[in-house]
Amino acid sequence: MSQIRACIFDLDGVIVDTAVYHYRAWKRLANELGFDFTEEDNEKLKGISRVQSLELILGWGGVEKTPAEKLELATRKNTWYVEMIQAMTPDEILPGAKEFLQEVKAAGLKSALGSASKNSGLILERTGLLPFFDVIIDGNVVSASKPDPEVFLKGAEALQIPPQQCVVFEDALAGVQAARAGGMKVIGIGSPEILGDADVVVSGLSAFRVNMLDAL
Ligand code: G6P
Ligand code: MG
């Protein structure tokens, strides 16, 4: 019998395919600043905050900006990103995600969102997934970026479930590290080469079932 009583889900790249929108918007910003970055570089942006993403990207381009300019750049990127997510529909829920959230509920497990995004409310509303979460912990209430475990520990605390009885679903290396640092089990969503530290790595939630939690 599984000890797991709660599932904590990252949003971008686990529940919805917004990782590609983040990539497009950051790429556009870098291009406007006169440089480019690869999809491999983009992996490093997954799971980390907007401000930290900008710092990394500016570093790759060897570009220096003042704090006021950085704020303007992050806002510009977010405006493009919000334009894209505003047009999202439930069709953009990743395969198997809604079914898995339903399965979690039916099994009597709790669920929380644990995302660095400040746009999670808009995304959950656009995709109709808001009712599946008992608790929402996102970039609006968290100060330390993954791999710091704050986001997941706050989720566990709000659900009133000990970290050891929580499992995190993550597509980002920083997120897998955050879950580990918080003493939680973690299911990697993506490639084993990147997420090898996870307890189990699957290609997507369509390849995962609640009864697989028993093996953790
Ligand atoms: C998620 C994404 C990151 C993104 C962060 C902040 O964790 O994986 O790529 O930078 O959220 O998103 P926001 O919507 O607040 O810019
Ligand atoms: Mg993610």
Side-chain angles (χ1 to χ4, degrees), residues 167-185:
V167 61
V168 168
F169 293 81
E170 256 294 348
D171 71 315
L173 176 59
V176 169
Q177 293 167 336
R180 280 259 167 273
M184 299 175 186
K185 301 287 184 190

PDB file of all heavy atoms in Angstrom, residues 167-185:
ATOM      1  N   VAL A 167       4.023  13.301  -3.239  1.00  0.00           N
ATOM      2  CA  VAL A 167       4.806  13.046  -4.447  1.00  0.00           C
ATOM      3  C   VAL A 167       4.661  14.244  -5.383  1.00  0.00           C
ATOM      4  O   VAL A 167       3.577  14.788  -5.538  1.00  0.00           O
ATOM      5  CB  VAL A 167       4.390  11.724  -5.141  1.00  0.00           C
ATOM      6  CG1 VAL A 167       2.936  11.742  -5.583  1.00  0.00           C
ATOM      7  CG2 VAL A 167       5.280  11.444  -6.354  1.00  0.00           C
ATOM      8  N   VAL A 168       5.798  14.656  -5.939  1.00  0.00           N
ATOM      9  CA  VAL A 168       5.832  15.817  -6.828  1.00  0.00           C
ATOM     10  C   VAL A 168       5.970  15.338  -8.270  1.00  0.00           C
ATOM     11  O   VAL A 168       6.715  14.398  -8.551  1.00  0.00           O
ATOM     12  CB  VAL A 168       7.033  16.718  -6.444  1.00  0.00           C
ATOM     13  CG1 VAL A 168       7.296  17.777  -7.498  1.00  0.00           C
ATOM     14  CG2 VAL A 168       6.796  17.366  -5.077  1.00  0.00           C
ATOM     15  N   PHE A 169       5.262  15.978  -9.172  1.00  0.00           N
ATOM     16  CA  PHE A 169       5.382  15.698 -10.608  1.00  0.00           C
ATOM     17  C   PHE A 169       6.061  16.894 -11.259  1.00  0.00           C
ATOM     18  O   PHE A 169       5.549  18.006 -11.173  1.00  0.00           O
ATOM     19  CB  PHE A 169       3.994  15.453 -11.222  1.00  0.00           C
ATOM     20  CG  PHE A 169       3.347  14.202 -10.712  1.00  0.00           C
ATOM     21  CD1 PHE A 169       2.695  14.192  -9.483  1.00  0.00           C
ATOM     22  CD2 PHE A 169       3.411  13.024 -11.440  1.00  0.00           C
ATOM     23  CE1 PHE A 169       2.133  13.024  -8.983  1.00  0.00           C
ATOM     24  CE2 PHE A 169       2.841  11.856 -10.956  1.00  0.00           C
ATOM     25  CZ  PHE A 169       2.197  11.857  -9.727  1.00  0.00           C
ATOM     26  N   GLU A 170       7.195  16.673 -11.886  1.00  0.00           N
ATOM     27  CA  GLU A 170       8.059  17.757 -12.378  1.00  0.00           C
ATOM     28  C   GLU A 170       8.695  17.457 -13.730  1.00  0.00           C
ATOM     29  O   GLU A 170       9.151  16.341 -13.956  1.00  0.00           O
ATOM     30  CB  GLU A 170       9.207  17.962 -11.381  1.00  0.00           C
ATOM     31  CG  GLU A 170       9.058  19.166 -10.494  1.00  0.00           C
ATOM     32  CD  GLU A 170       9.119  20.516 -11.211  1.00  0.00           C
ATOM     33  OE1 GLU A 170       9.510  20.560 -12.392  1.00  0.00           O
ATOM     34  OE2 GLU A 170       8.769  21.512 -10.581  1.00  0.00           O
ATOM     35  N   ASP A 171       8.792  18.484 -14.574  1.00  0.00           N
ATOM     36  CA  ASP A 171       9.485  18.311 -15.866  1.00  0.00           C
ATOM     37  C   ASP A 171      10.861  18.983 -15.868  1.00  0.00           C
ATOM     38  O   ASP A 171      11.580  18.879 -16.857  1.00  0.00           O
ATOM     39  CB  ASP A 171       8.654  18.885 -17.014  1.00  0.00           C
ATOM     40  CG  ASP A 171       8.620  20.406 -16.994  1.00  0.00           C
ATOM     41  OD1 ASP A 171       8.427  20.979 -15.904  1.00  0.00           O
ATOM     42  OD2 ASP A 171       8.791  21.025 -18.067  1.00  0.00           O
ATOM     43  N   ALA A 172      11.173  19.720 -14.793  1.00  0.00           N
ATOM     44  CA  ALA A 172      12.422  20.488 -14.776  1.00  0.00           C
ATOM     45  C   ALA A 172      13.415  19.906 -13.786  1.00  0.00           C
ATOM     46  O   ALA A 172      13.031  19.452 -12.698  1.00  0.00           O
ATOM     47  CB  ALA A 172      12.133  21.938 -14.400  1.00  0.00           C
ATOM     48  N   LEU A 173      14.681  19.928 -14.159  1.00  0.00           N
ATOM     49  CA  LEU A 173      15.728  19.452 -13.258  1.00  0.00           C
ATOM     50  C   LEU A 173      15.672  20.203 -11.924  1.00  0.00           C
ATOM     51  O   LEU A 173      15.726  19.592 -10.853  1.00  0.00           O
ATOM     52  CB  LEU A 173      17.099  19.654 -13.929  1.00  0.00           C
ATOM     53  CG  LEU A 173      18.313  19.293 -13.090  1.00  0.00           C
ATOM     54  CD1 LEU A 173      18.275  17.836 -12.657  1.00  0.00           C
ATOM     55  CD2 LEU A 173      19.595  19.596 -13.863  1.00  0.00           C
ATOM     56  N   ALA A 174      15.522  21.536 -11.989  1.00  0.00           N
ATOM     57  CA  ALA A 174      15.468  22.330 -10.753  1.00  0.00           C
ATOM     58  C   ALA A 174      14.290  21.900  -9.881  1.00  0.00           C
ATOM     59  O   ALA A 174      14.379  21.923  -8.646  1.00  0.00           O
ATOM     60  CB  ALA A 174      15.358  23.818 -11.088  1.00  0.00           C
ATOM     61  N   GLY A 175      13.210  21.491 -10.513  1.00  0.00           N
ATOM     62  CA  GLY A 175      12.021  21.051  -9.786  1.00  0.00           C
ATOM     63  C   GLY A 175      12.221  19.695  -9.124  1.00  0.00           C
ATOM     64  O   GLY A 175      11.768  19.463  -7.994  1.00  0.00           O
ATOM     65  N   VAL A 176      12.901  18.796  -9.829  1.00  0.00           N
ATOM     66  CA  VAL A 176      13.207  17.477  -9.257  1.00  0.00           C
ATOM     67  C   VAL A 176      14.106  17.678  -8.030  1.00  0.00           C
ATOM     68  O   VAL A 176      13.883  17.087  -6.966  1.00  0.00           O
ATOM     69  CB  VAL A 176      13.893  16.568 -10.316  1.00  0.00           C
ATOM     70  CG1 VAL A 176      14.450  15.307  -9.670  1.00  0.00           C
ATOM     71  CG2 VAL A 176      12.909  16.207 -11.432  1.00  0.00           C
ATOM     72  N   GLN A 177      15.091  18.564  -8.173  1.00  0.00           N
ATOM     73  CA  GLN A 177      15.998  18.846  -7.051  1.00  0.00           C
ATOM     74  C   GLN A 177      15.244  19.471  -5.877  1.00  0.00           C
ATOM     75  O   GLN A 177      15.513  19.164  -4.720  1.00  0.00           O
ATOM     76  CB  GLN A 177      17.119  19.785  -7.520  1.00  0.00           C
ATOM     77  CG  GLN A 177      18.054  19.121  -8.529  1.00  0.00           C
ATOM     78  CD  GLN A 177      18.972  20.104  -9.242  1.00  0.00           C
ATOM     79  OE1 GLN A 177      18.674  21.293  -9.345  1.00  0.00           O
ATOM     80  NE2 GLN A 177      20.085  19.611  -9.765  1.00  0.00           N
ATOM     81  N   ALA A 178      14.283  20.345  -6.179  1.00  0.00           N
ATOM     82  CA  ALA A 178      13.490  20.999  -5.130  1.00  0.00           C
ATOM     83  C   ALA A 178      12.675  19.969  -4.349  1.00  0.00           C
ATOM     84  O   ALA A 178      12.610  20.014  -3.111  1.00  0.00           O
ATOM     85  CB  ALA A 178      12.570  22.045  -5.749  1.00  0.00           C
ATOM     86  N   ALA A 179      12.070  19.030  -5.064  1.00  0.00           N
ATOM     87  CA  ALA A 179      11.261  17.993  -4.415  1.00  0.00           C
ATOM     88  C   ALA A 179      12.139  17.133  -3.499  1.00  0.00           C
ATOM     89  O   ALA A 179      11.780  16.840  -2.362  1.00  0.00           O
ATOM     90  CB  ALA A 179      10.576  17.126  -5.470  1.00  0.00           C
ATOM     91  N   ARG A 180      13.299  16.752  -4.020  1.00  0.00           N
ATOM     92  CA  ARG A 180      14.270  15.959  -3.243  1.00  0.00           C
ATOM     93  C   ARG A 180      14.677  16.716  -1.975  1.00  0.00           C
ATOM     94  O   ARG A 180      14.696  16.158  -0.880  1.00  0.00           O
ATOM     95  CB  ARG A 180      15.529  15.721  -4.071  1.00  0.00           C
ATOM     96  CG  ARG A 180      15.398  14.626  -5.070  1.00  0.00           C
ATOM     97  CD  ARG A 180      16.076  13.364  -4.509  1.00  0.00           C
ATOM     98  NE  ARG A 180      15.715  12.202  -5.312  1.00  0.00           N
ATOM     99  CZ  ARG A 180      14.635  11.466  -5.103  1.00  0.00           C
ATOM    100  NH1 ARG A 180      13.805  11.746  -4.127  1.00  0.00           N
ATOM    101  NH2 ARG A 180      14.360  10.444  -5.871  1.00  0.00           N
ATOM    102  N   ALA A 181      14.986  18.008  -2.158  1.00  0.00           N
ATOM    103  CA  ALA A 181      15.432  18.833  -1.026  1.00  0.00           C
ATOM    104  C   ALA A 181      14.332  18.948   0.029  1.00  0.00           C
ATOM    105  O   ALA A 181      14.607  19.137   1.213  1.00  0.00           O
ATOM    106  CB  ALA A 181      15.854  20.217  -1.509  1.00  0.00           C
ATOM    107  N   GLY A 182      13.072  18.819  -0.427  1.00  0.00           N
ATOM    108  CA  GLY A 182      11.949  18.899   0.497  1.00  0.00           C
ATOM    109  C   GLY A 182      11.604  17.555   1.126  1.00  0.00           C
ATOM    110  O   GLY A 182      10.644  17.441   1.882  1.00  0.00           O
ATOM    111  N   GLY A 183      12.354  16.504   0.761  1.00  0.00           N
ATOM    112  CA  GLY A 183      12.119  15.178   1.330  1.00  0.00           C
ATOM    113  C   GLY A 183      10.916  14.476   0.743  1.00  0.00           C
ATOM    114  O   GLY A 183      10.302  13.620   1.386  1.00  0.00           O
ATOM    115  N   MET A 184      10.587  14.829  -0.508  1.00  0.00           N
ATOM    116  CA  MET A 184       9.414  14.223  -1.153  1.00  0.00           C
ATOM    117  C   MET A 184       9.821  13.236  -2.241  1.00  0.00           C
ATOM    118  O   MET A 184      10.941  13.293  -2.735  1.00  0.00           O
ATOM    119  CB  MET A 184       8.563  15.331  -1.789  1.00  0.00           C
ATOM    120  CG  MET A 184       8.072  16.314  -0.761  1.00  0.00           C
ATOM    121  SD  MET A 184       7.192  17.688  -1.514  1.00  0.00           S
ATOM    122  CE  MET A 184       6.938  18.700  -0.058  1.00  0.00           C
ATOM    123  N   LYS A 185       8.896  12.378  -2.585  1.00  0.00           N
ATOM    124  CA  LYS A 185       9.087  11.510  -3.748  1.00  0.00           C
ATOM    125  C   LYS A 185       8.883  12.374  -4.988  1.00  0.00           C
ATOM    126  O   LYS A 185       8.171  13.391  -4.934  1.00  0.00           O
ATOM    127  CB  LYS A 185       8.056  10.376  -3.746  1.00  0.00           C
ATOM    128  CG  LYS A 185       8.125   9.503  -2.511  1.00  0.00           C
ATOM    129  CD  LYS A 185       9.351   8.628  -2.545  1.00  0.00           C
ATOM    130  CE  LYS A 185       9.356   7.680  -1.348  1.00  0.00           C
ATOM    131  NZ  LYS A 185      10.638   6.986  -1.219  1.00  0.00           N
TER     132      LYS A 185
END
